[in-house]
Amino acid sequence: MTTDLRALTPADWDAWYGKLELAFGGVAESAEERALWNDLTEYDRSLGVWDGDECVGTAGAFSFRLTVPGGASVPTAGVTMVSVASTHRRRGVLTSMMRRQLDDVRSWGEPLAALTASEPAIYGRFGYGIATQQLRAEIDTDRVRLSVPDGTDDVRLRLVKPDAEGVPEACEAVYAQQVAVRPGMLARRPGWERLMLLDPESDRKGSSPLQCVLARRGDEVVGYARYFNKPDWDAAGPKGTIELRDLEALDPAAYAALWQHLFGIDLTSKVKLWNRPLDDAWQHLVSDSRRCDLAPRDSLHVRLVEVGAALEARTYQAPVDVVFEVEDAFCSWNEGRWRLSGDAKGASCARTTDPADLALSVRDLGAAYLGGVSLASLAAAGRVRESRRGALAEASLGFASVVAPWLPHGF
């Protein structure tokens, strides 16, 4: 097979994106969604594989900044829009795109790549490890009660149109203050606020248009929640569902006030969550977690493109001085031994000829990188091997994050 792998041009976008839609089931997105993704596409960071005049492979890489433990915002390639035509599978198309893309990311000086996967089994062979999970839940608000902290009643709530003047900006300001707090969060560049406002009627499936409630303390917006209300009835009466899109708050009282609002909306008996942190605090406000139907799911897959730079970019909650033997068949420049020395103030990581303390693949190093996956748990699965006694405990404690890493939205 003779194919042409090349950077995307604006003239190619419709054909390129159409092939992506076909690969994901063939259902065309709304004009609103297509316009947004067209505007957000970074052409010089996007790839297409062409067989003659037909696009048979797609891949993109947004230029993001990702929060890592310690609060630093690290340049990261947000891998996205990856597809291969069903007629060209098992011909090396995906591998060729991953090869070119990781070479490009390295040349751009970005130490990390990250993605969300439609099929999690695909990307491990390219060095991506599952670094964050998202919590899903369905809360029975007829039976579950909230216990809220002092000050909750002092927070004023107002329903507003999500796109009303000043509202998106107020929500983005709250979000921006949260980004440095939790590993895995993305600093949203201009234009990305539109993603959280997408509301094509074809996607509602009986739900209301997107709704928004702001939490205020005085004149300051201290939180917000955006959600859909899906009404339903049976012989016993109303049993509607609130489907939460996103919620952020700057303090416990504002946070609790927003959840209290969601629980108390008339004619509803459920709140559904599709993507919340594993340690989301509402779990400590509810009276009965068994009636919340909790379920985790993989979210952000992380790939260390430059091992030394990536490990230096974060801090470590306990002192670490460990030599890693890193296996990386796909990006051979990472292969070998690296000495990591770091603590809560900073870190250094450089090549060494010293004996290895721990051996692992770059995939598992990526899984542990944001602090949500324990090196000790990977070792228990045989994926990390300890050569110096005590090194595993030392590294596991140092790599851990105070809060669970979390990706608040896809890309």
Side-chain angles (χ1 to χ4, degrees):
M1 180 183 70
T2 302
T3 57
D4 179 22
L5 171 61
R6 63 178 188 260
L8 186 64
T9 68
D12 290 332
W13 190 87
D14 279 328
W16 182 85
Y17 199 78
K19 283 296 183 179
L20 178 70
E21 289 177 316
L22 186 62
F24 279 81
V27 178
E29 291 182 345
S30 68
E32 179 186 8
E33 290 172 291
R34 286 179 66 91
L36 173 60
W37 291 118
N38 194 344
D39 289 346
L40 293 177
T41 297
E42 298 179 50
Y43 290 97
D44 58 340
R45 296 169 61 97
S46 301
L47 301 171
V49 176
W50 301 82
D51 185 354
D53 59 359
E54 180 187 5
C55 181
V56 297
T58 67
F62 294 120
S63 49
F64 285 146
R65 298 194 72 90
L66 178 75
T67 300
V68 300
S73 184
V74 178
T76 300
V79 176
T80 185
M81 300 182 184
V82 178
S83 73
V84 175
S86 59
T87 54
H88 286 67
R89 295 180 62 211
R90 298 183 179 88
R91 300 188 190 184
V93 173
L94 178 60
T95 299
S96 69
M97 291 191 295
M98 293 293 100
R99 171 77 278 139
R100 165 71 179 271
Q101 188 175 70
L102 287 170
D103 289 341
D104 285 348
V105 173
R106 188 188 188 202
S107 74
W108 298 331
E110 296 170 3
L112 298 172
L115 56 83
T116 60
S118 56
E119 297 179 90
I122 292 175
Y123 293 98
R125 69 182 186 272
F126 303 117
Y128 288 87
I130 299 173
T132 76
Q133 291 190 311
Q134 62 188 45
L135 184 67
R136 296 183 170 203
E138 185 172 309
I139 306 169
D140 181 351
T141 52
D142 278 343
R143 299 191 181 189
V144 177
R145 296 292 173 262
L146 289 175
S147 176
V148 299
D150 292 341
T152 300
D153 292 341
D154 298 331
V155 178
R156 295 186 300 114
L157 301 180
R158 293 290 184 271
L159 281 169
V160 296
K161 290 186 177 181
D163 58 353
E165 183 177 357
V167 171
E169 293 80 4
C171 294
E172 286 302 295
V174 172
Y175 175 86
Q177 291 185 63
Q178 300 296 89
V179 169
V181 175
R182 189 180 291 274
M185 292 189 73
L186 299 171
R188 288 205 281 252
R189 298 174 60 193
W192 279 90
E193 74 283 353
R194 293 165 55 196
L195 178 65
M196 308 313 295
L197 298 175
L198 272 180
D199 184 22
E201 188 172 352
S202 58
D203 287 354
R204 291 178 189 160
K205 299 178 182 178
S207 294
S208 71
L210 185 65
Q211 300 185 27
C212 180
V213 59
L214 296 182
R216 295 181 180 271
R217 186 172 289 104
D219 293 331
E220 181 186 7
V221 175
V222 292
Y224 66 89
R226 290 183 282 219
Y227 58 90
F228 301 92
N229 188 336
K230 187 172 186 178
D232 194 15
W233 300 75
D234 63 14
K239 56 171 188 176
T241 299
I242 298 301
E243 299 178 345
L244 181 65
R245 169 168 284 183
D246 62 334
L247 182 154
E248 296 290 346
L250 300 182
D251 58 65
Y255 176 87
L258 291 166
W259 282 101
Q260 196 171 55
H261 171 76
L262 297 175
F263 271 50
I265 294 173
D266 285 343
L267 309 182
T268 66
S269 59
K270 293 178 186 175
V271 172
K272 278 189 177 182
L273 325 173
W274 303 108
N275 180 14
R276 297 299 300 170
L278 285 186
D279 60 352
D280 208 5
W282 67 265
Q283 297 171 88
H284 306 295
L285 302 178
V286 296
S287 60
D288 188 349
S289 61
R290 292 185 185 180
R291 296 189 181 277
C292 297
D293 196 17
L294 305 170
R297 179 173 174 170
D298 71 282
S299 182
L300 191 67
H301 298 225
V302 170
R303 212 274 185 217
L304 276 61
V305 180
E306 291 280 8
V307 164
L311 293 180
E312 285 185 348
R314 56 156 293 177
T315 63
Y316 300 85
Q317 69 168 2
V320 174
D321 186 14
V322 175
V323 175
F324 289 106
E325 180 85 42
V326 178
E327 303 156 6
D328 190 351
F330 202 68
C331 295
S332 58
W333 58 82
N334 287 324
E335 288 265 2
R337 296 176 196 164
W338 298 84
R339 178 177 288 279
L340 171 66
S341 299
D343 55 24
K345 296 179 180 179
S348 63
C349 186
R351 288 201 172 275
T352 182
T353 57
D354 293 342
D357 300 321
L358 298 172
L360 75 173
S361 70
V362 75
R363 172 186 178 182
D364 294 309
L365 195 55
Y369 181 72
L370 294 178
V373 176
S374 165
L375 287 167
S377 69
L378 291 168
R383 304 189 70 88
V384 179
R385 300 172 297 283
E386 183 182 44
S387 299
R388 174 174 64 82
R389 188 173 182 178
L392 179 62
E394 175 188 339
S396 295
L397 181 59
F399 267 69
S401 173
V402 174
V403 296
W406 174 59
L407 177 69
H409 58 82
F411 51 86

